[in-house]
Amino acid sequence: MPQLIPFFFLNQLFYGFLTLFILLILVSKIILPYILKLNIVRSIIVKF
Amino acid sequence: MQLVLAGKYIGAGIATVGLLGAGIGIAIVFAALINGTSRNPGIKDTIFPYAILGFALSEATGLFCMMNAFLLLYGV
Amino acid sequence: MLTYIRSPLDQFDISIFIGLNSPICDLSALDFTTFSLYTLIVLITIILIYNISLDRKLIIGSNLLLTIESTMDTIINMVKGQIGGKAYGYYVPLIYTLFIFILIANLIGMIPYNFAIAASLIFIISLSFSLWLGFTILGFYIHKFEYFSLLVPVGTPIALLPLLVLIELLSYSARAISLGLRLAANTLSGHLLMGILGGLVKTLMSLNIFSFILGFIPLAGIFCIVILEFAIACIQAYVFTILTSSYIKDSVYLH
């Protein structure tokens, strides 16, 4: 099992959680608000 | 040494037996989906995600057996 | 020609591309390895997809935006159906992040000769363990000591109580491992299966011209298995997120 070599454990955890953290910030600060704003604009256009 | 090798292969073969239960489980899930759809076709969109979820959950238990077999063959 | 049969587990080998060392402390955690290369590739892929699709200031949007909106609607409806109530919106970013990360990582792992991130057991099981720890802490933060009532099913006779609490405690603790092990075992065994079958068919087809023609029949079967693996790559991302949200519901609302 090459996945279970203890030398790489900390390396995997560091890079994996770093990527997830960056992605979480990106999703919650940029992507989701953009689509929320898009939906609000659409609903306003449909209303008038 | 040969005996250990033979034990490894026999163990890997026996570990595959657990796939039997996963097969029965997947069959039950899809049989229930077909039953439900034929009784009430309007409910198909509601129960299809649950059927997929049940398929994935019962398939995963079978794959644990398969992973055990692979571990015995190549990992140990 | 000298050939030797390599173990099918070789596809999960991690090699160091840029090694860092310093005389003061151990920096091996910061090495640039195969795993970090693929996390970088996943991150860049996601950023590129969103950059292309969200860049244009259009209200209708392109086809790519339609895909993204439909995945987002799926996730939001799932979270709304699972968690419900007023507070479901707090958990959407986390669950959407998990979904998109696992989906893109699985699909990149399905490209031939690439490394599957989700097959590295240690990272995925620590991810699921930290999620489990997170919603346990969340439950204790919301409900204080009443959170232990999660371990008692409704309407149990008092005589069965000690046994049932032990069983429920065991099943509650097993969530930490089983959530990640499900994803990792699926990816691992799927990739191993494709590797082994591909090797077998390659040896069969390289024998002579007759076996080369005969080998197209199992090749069609392997093609079906590859399609199944693509489906599993998407379904497992969905299952991981739906189970995460149902566990969050357990700790927010108790039962």
Side-chain angles (χ1 to χ4, degrees):
Chain A
M1 289 289 278
Q3 293 105 331
L4 297 181
I5 303 169
F7 180 74
F8 293 110
F9 283 0
L10 268 181
N11 188 287
Q12 290 181 15
L13 294 188
F14 175 74
Y15 277 99
F17 283 108
L18 184 72
T19 314
L20 269 178
F21 184 67
I22 294 171
L23 208 60
L24 182 62
I25 290 176
L26 214 67
V27 164
S28 58
K29 293 287 177 196
I30 299 173
I31 296 168
L32 289 177
Y34 183 91
I35 299 180
L36 182 70
K37 275 181 218 161
L38 202 66
N39 281 337
I40 292 172
V41 167
R42 279 179 194 161
S43 65
I44 288 174
I45 286 177
V46 165
K47 203 176 282 178
F48 291 108
Chain B
M1 200 56 220
Q2 293 290 321
L3 203 61
V4 174
L5 209 63
K8 217 168 92 170
Y9 289 145
I10 293 172
I14 292 174
T16 342
V17 172
L19 286 169
L20 176 76
I24 296 174
I26 294 170
I28 287 176
V29 166
F30 281 109
L33 175 68
I34 293 170
N35 255 334
T37 314
S38 59
R39 287 183 189 197
N40 182 5
I43 209 169
K44 193 193 169 217
D45 288 341
T46 320
I47 60 176
F48 190 69
Y50 290 108
I52 292 294
L53 184 64
F55 162 72
L57 291 184
S58 54
E59 198 218 9
T61 55
L63 286 177
F64 292 153
C65 297
M66 220 166 127
M67 200 189 67
N68 267 347
F70 284 141
L71 277 181
L72 284 173
L73 275 180
Y74 303 108
V76 182
Chain C
M1 200 160 87
L2 187 69
T3 54
Y4 64 101
I5 298 173
R6 298 162 71 201
S7 159
L9 278 164
D10 271 359
Q11 56 179 319
F12 302 118
D13 263 347
I14 296 175
S15 46
I16 303 175
F17 295 136
I18 301 171
L20 301 173
N21 40 36
S22 98
I24 303 161
C25 57
D26 185 18
L27 283 180
S28 71
L30 304 177
D31 284 352
F32 196 76
T33 57
T34 316
F35 188 86
S36 16
L37 176 69
Y38 276 90
T39 52
L40 200 65
I41 288 176
V42 169
L43 191 64
I44 287 174
T45 312
I46 295 172
I47 290 176
L48 269 182
I49 290 172
Y50 284 96
N51 200 19
I52 291 170
S53 61
L54 299 185
D55 194 32
R56 291 193 279 168
K57 300 279 184 222
L58 292 176
I59 294 168
I60 305 278
S62 54
N63 285 342
L64 208 51
L65 185 64
L66 195 68
T67 324
I68 286 164
E69 277 189 68
S70 67
T71 59
M72 227 186 79
D73 271 355
T74 314
I75 295 300
I76 289 178
N77 281 331
M78 187 191 81
V79 175
K80 195 189 279 180
Q82 286 290 325
I83 299 179
K86 276 182 184 171
Y88 77 93
Y90 294 122
Y91 308 106
V92 169
L94 173 70
I95 288 170
Y96 188 64
T97 309
L98 285 175
F99 177 76
I100 215 82
F101 180 76
I102 294 172
L103 181 71
I104 299 285
N106 274 343
L107 289 182
I108 282 180
M110 283 302 297
I111 302 172
Y113 293 100
N114 276 22
F115 176 80
I117 289 179
S120 49
L121 290 160
I122 295 300
F123 168 59
I124 296 292
I125 291 179
S126 12
L127 174 64
S128 80
F129 184 76
S130 38
L131 281 173
W132 176 83
L133 210 59
F135 50 70
T136 307
I137 293 171
L138 181 74
F140 276 116
Y141 177 74
I142 293 176
H143 298 288
K144 309 288 184 287
F145 281 105
E146 276 179 40
Y147 188 58
F148 284 113
S149 72
L150 192 71
L151 300 180
V152 184
V154 183
T156 28
I158 201 87
L160 278 176
L161 214 54
L163 193 64
L164 269 177
V165 166
L166 271 181
I167 292 173
E168 287 283 321
L169 186 65
L170 189 66
S171 84
Y172 185 79
S173 322
R175 284 174 181 186
I177 306 295
S178 75
L179 178 64
L181 191 63
R182 183 174 294 120
L183 174 64
N186 263 294
T187 331
L188 182 65
S189 53
H191 282 257
L192 280 182
L193 188 67
M194 286 191 294
I196 291 169
L197 290 181
L200 281 179
V201 172
K202 183 180 168 292
T203 18
L204 174 69
M205 286 175 89
S206 59
L207 281 179
N208 52 35
I209 188 72
F210 178 68
S211 68
F212 178 76
I213 297 167
L214 199 69
F216 278 103
I217 303 166
L219 208 58
I222 292 178
F223 188 67
C224 297
I225 290 179
V226 170
I227 294 173
L228 179 74
E229 290 303 320
F230 268 102
I232 283 177
C234 303
I235 290 174
Q236 283 304 315
Y238 184 70
V239 165
F240 192 90
T241 50
I242 204 172
L243 285 178
T244 310
S245 51
S246 102
Y247 294 161
I248 286 175
K249 185 211 63 177
D250 268 1
S251 58
V252 172
Y253 292 115
L254 289 180
H255 297 298

